[in-house]
């Protein structure tokens, strides 16, 4: 549908950061009137998808009968578990008018004990996600805990996700509360331990290391990570599992119409 996607995870250097197994950067893109995005119905198992927009609006629809527009600063958490089908499209009004789109979608692999949990969906308005603000520093805690705040989002494992914005010259810490941590720089330039980094790239940090981020220009980034997952995960298309045979079963279910 005309949206460029930078797929950051999995990479040759690293498959996961905590339970984050896919990390996609959508846009920035500009849809002219009459144009839009159409991610057609597709299946998932064994994961939760996290959709977070910085610009634009997307309409989410799934086989549990959820229909939910998502706007900038809001959070959609779809837990596939044993299986779900969903689509993501440009809503009719925005398709008619045209819009700019910028956002992130990540997949969080589920712990083995929760891989076959019943599918579910959660949506959180921007106003209910805690925001921590100091002069030149704004952090929205989307999931987990950070900067002294705790998100209301229910997760099946221990992970965190934070939208952090810094004005030029400002600093922010990345505490060692989680064993695995990363930063994805969406906009701007930063400096860490004397090294400079420009958008767009992901930085993965040593466990336990004290990190201070300094913005050399106005910058926006996502902080993410969590506890390491309990074993290897296999991926095929939109399917994730700790067992190869489960992937094969899901592939056959999709081909023969056994998904809802």
């Amino acid at each position: 549908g005309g949206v460029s996607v930078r797929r950051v995870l999995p990479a040759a250097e690293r498959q996961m950061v905590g339970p984050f197994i896919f990390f996609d950067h959508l846009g920035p893109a500009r849809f002219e009137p009459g144009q839009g995005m159409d991610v057609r119905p597709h299946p998932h198992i064994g994961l939760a998808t996290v959709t977070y927009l910085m610009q634009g609006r997307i309409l989410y629809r799934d086989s549990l009968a959820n229909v939910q527009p998502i706007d900038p600063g809001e959070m959609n958490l779809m837990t596939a578990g044993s299986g779900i089908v969903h689509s993501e499209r440009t809503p009719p009004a925005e398709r008619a008018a045209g819009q700019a789109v910028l956002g992130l979608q990540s997949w969080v692999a589920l712990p083995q004990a929760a891989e076959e949990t019943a599918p579910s969906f959660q949506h959180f308005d921007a106003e209910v996600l805690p925001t921590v603000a100091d002069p030149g520093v704004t952090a929205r805690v989307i999931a987990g805990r950070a900067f002294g705040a705790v998100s209301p989002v229910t997760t099946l494992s221990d992970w965190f996700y934070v939208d952090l914005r810094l004005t030029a010259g400002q600093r922010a810490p990345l505490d060692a509360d989680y064993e695995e941590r990363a930063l994805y720089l969406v906009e701007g330039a930063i400096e860490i331990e004397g090294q400079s980094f420009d958008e767009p790239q992901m930085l993965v940090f040593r466990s336990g290391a004290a990190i201070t981020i300094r913005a050399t220009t106005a910058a926006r980034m996502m902080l993410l990570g969590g506890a390491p997952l309990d074993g290897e995960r296999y991926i095929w298309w939109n399917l994730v599992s700790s067992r190869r045979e489960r992937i094969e079963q899901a592939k056959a279910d999709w081909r023969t119409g056994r998904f809802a």
Side-chain angles (χ1 to χ4, degrees), residues 214-237:
R214 176 181 174 272
T216 52
T217 69
R220 189 170 191 177
M221 64 210 77
M222 300 298 293
L223 309 178
L224 62 135
L229 213 54
D230 52 353
E232 186 178 5
R233 290 298 185 273
Y234 302 102
I235 305 174
W236 183 85
W237 190 29

Side-chain angles (χ1 to χ4, degrees), residues 245-260:
E245 61 271 21
R246 182 66 179 91
I247 297 277
E248 294 304 316
Q249 178 194 337
K251 288 163 65 173
D253 288 345
W254 180 246
R255 284 195 303 266
T256 55
R258 289 196 292 266
F259 274 87

Side-chain angles (χ1 to χ4, degrees), residues 81-260:
S82 60
I84 197 170
V85 175
H86 72 172
S87 66
E88 293 145 313
R89 303 179 186 271
T90 300
E94 286 72 19
R95 190 182 298 267
Q99 68 169 345
V101 175
L102 172 64
L104 300 167
Q105 188 173 75
S106 50
W107 296 2
V108 177
L110 300 179
Q112 291 185 28
E115 283 186 308
E116 297 299 327
T117 192
S120 63
F121 176 76
Q122 301 177 69
H123 174 84
F124 295 85
D125 290 340
E127 293 75 18
V128 305
L129 299 174
T131 299
V132 179
D134 282 321
V137 180
T138 305
R140 175 174 283 132
V141 183
I142 302 163
R145 59 196 183 277
F147 298 100
V150 180
S151 167
V153 175
T154 301
T155 63
L156 295 177
S157 62
D158 194 20
W159 54 275
F160 78 106
Y161 205 33
V162 178
D163 177 5
L164 175 64
R165 286 173 283 181
L166 301 175
T167 59
Q170 292 299 315
R171 290 176 167 83
L174 176 54
D175 293 334
D177 294 342
Y178 293 86
E179 184 173 345
E180 296 189 356
R181 300 165 297 158
L183 176 160
Y184 183 71
L185 186 57
V186 179
E187 296 174 339
I190 59 174
E191 182 182 273
I192 299 175
E193 295 185 355
Q195 292 183 272
S196 297
F197 304 95
D198 295 314
E199 61 172 281
Q201 61 180 307
M202 178 173 282
L203 312 176
V204 181
F205 302 108
R206 296 185 302 275
S207 178
I211 301 297
T212 299
I213 307 156
R214 176 181 174 272
T216 52
T217 69
R220 189 170 191 177
M221 64 210 77
M222 300 298 293
L223 309 178
L224 62 135
L229 213 54
D230 52 353
E232 186 178 5
R233 290 298 185 273
Y234 302 102
I235 305 174
W236 183 85
W237 190 29
N238 302 299
L239 313 173
V240 171
S241 180
S242 60
R243 297 178 293 124
R244 290 186 187 274
E245 61 271 21
R246 182 66 179 91
I247 297 277
E248 294 304 316
Q249 178 194 337
K251 288 163 65 173
D253 288 345
W254 180 246
R255 284 195 303 266
T256 55
R258 289 196 292 266
F259 274 87

Side-chain angles (χ1 to χ4, degrees), residues 9-38:
L9 292 175
E13 300 86 354
R14 189 174 186 113
Q15 184 188 43
M16 290 183 281
V17 176
F20 286 84
I21 195 166
F22 259 55
F23 193 93
D24 282 358
H25 179 175
L26 294 84
R30 175 74 201 179
F31 290 117
E32 299 303 322
Q35 298 179 335
M37 180 182 81
D38 287 292

